[in-house]
Amino acid sequence: MGGLQRFEQRLENVVYGAFARVFRSAVQPVEIAAALERECDNNAQILSRQRRAVPNDFHVELASTDFDRLSPYDSTLVKDLTDQLMEHAQQQHYVFPGPVTIGFESAEDLSTGRFRIKSRAQASVTSNSNLTRSRRPRALIEVNGTEHPLMPPGLVIGRGTEADVRINDPGVSRRHIEFLVFNRDGEIDIEVGDLGSTNGMLVDGHRIQRTHVHDGSRVKIGATTINVRVVDDEDPHYPGATGV
């Protein structure tokens, strides 16, 4: 019995055939499972002979009628789709950059029985930095929904445990880049430099070894984009600012 057949049988056993009845003339869960596997296959990036990086964040867009039918079972379906995708990844030697997430959305332009999948690589990010917020930093980096203050002397970004900010992206080296931060005459000056990484870095779309960055600069390493922000100390949207 193939993986998708086992998935369908396991899913139907969990809800006593409810899926088969509800989805008789609409989207079948096994179709979504197969499409998720294809999404990984089509977006796999070679890391080595035995390892390929694939997306880990998936959004399944459905017609409103299918979305409404699915809603009562979405938590069960997400768990089983995730298990099925993990099994497929293990068989194909795929590597996820972070936890697998699957979400469902309604799309007005889709008719009943049709769906589409959008995916992206979303690396998990952790901080090993000993820098504290005892004084308000005036700069930060944003990485996959996380914020990390930039204060002198700076931060090392990479995949290894020695990095100040760890990004679990297979395309990121153990020590990939370094942000250097200087206070010069009351103004903040930020540089970013490659630390001899395998894949290099892009700054605002250009491959560069070392350069100054400013508010709004985008630094890409592997499949991960790092956004640089420079803000006023009293910015109400900045962590640690007055009133927050």
Side-chain angles (χ1 to χ4, degrees):
M1 182 181 296
L4 289 176
Q5 287 177 306
R6 291 197 302 273
F7 164 79
E8 188 173 37
Q9 185 180 69
R10 183 174 67 249
L11 198 60
E12 289 185 356
N13 288 339
V14 169
V15 293
Y16 303 101
F19 281 103
R21 294 193 299 273
V22 173
F23 288 88
R24 185 172 299 143
S25 59
V27 172
Q28 298 292 327
V30 69
E31 293 178 306
I32 298 175
L36 289 169
E37 291 184 2
R38 287 195 301 272
E39 187 72 11
C40 287
D41 296 341
N42 294 337
N43 290 281
Q45 298 182 4
I46 296 175
L47 299 175
S48 66
R49 290 181 60 185
Q50 294 295 325
R51 298 169 70 244
R52 286 182 288 175
V54 293
N56 62 312
D57 184 46
F58 303 89
H59 293 267
V60 183
E61 297 184 347
L62 300 151
S64 57
T65 50
D66 290 324
F67 181 79
D68 291 341
R69 292 187 181 101
L70 175 68
S71 295
Y73 311 106
D74 59 354
S75 59
T76 299
L77 184 54
V78 165
K79 179 182 183 303
D80 284 300
L81 286 171
T82 301
D83 291 344
Q84 174 63 26
L85 201 57
M86 295 289 287
E87 181 180 329
H88 179 70
Q90 185 176 13
Q91 293 171 351
Q92 301 299 321
H93 303 289
Y94 291 157
V95 177
F96 295 113
V100 174
T101 58
I102 301 173
F104 296 92
E105 301 173 4
S106 176
E108 297 299 325
D109 62 324
L110 293 176
S111 58
T112 301
R114 300 186 65 85
F115 67 94
R116 61 173 167 256
I117 293 177
K118 296 180 179 179
S119 67
R120 62 176 178 168
Q122 180 87 335
S124 59
V125 181
T126 57
S127 176
N128 290 336
S129 174
N130 292 322
L131 296 176
T132 68
R133 297 178 185 267
S134 58
R135 53 195 176 96
R136 294 173 186 152
R138 297 177 59 203
L140 61 86
I141 55 173
E142 299 174 333
V143 194
N144 292 348
T146 66
E147 296 182 345
H148 308 270
L150 279 177
M151 293 188 291
L155 292 173
V156 172
I157 315 293
R159 187 166 47 86
T161 57
E162 65 271 28
D164 297 312
V165 177
R166 297 181 62 194
I167 301 178
N168 188 27
D169 180 337
V172 172
S173 297
R174 296 184 64 82
R175 288 171 52 88
H176 199 114
I177 60 173
E178 181 179 25
F179 283 95
L180 297 175
V181 184
F182 308 93
N183 282 323
R184 292 173 174 162
D185 297 326
E187 297 295 328
I188 194 163
D189 185 18
I190 309 171
E191 296 180 11
V192 63
D194 188 278
L195 295 176
S197 66
T198 302
N199 297 319
M201 70 172 177
L202 297 176
V203 179
D204 296 326
H206 302 285
R207 188 168 295 277
I208 295 176
Q209 188 69 25
R210 180 173 292 274
T211 188
H212 289 272
V213 291
H214 50 79
D215 184 40
S217 291
R218 295 166 63 87
V219 181
K220 185 173 183 180
I221 56 176
T224 300
T225 298
I226 302 167
N227 297 300
V228 178
R229 285 191 60 202
V230 179
V231 297
D232 294 333
D233 288 345
E234 300 303 318
D235 185 342
H237 300 293
Y238 188 73
T242 301
V244 175

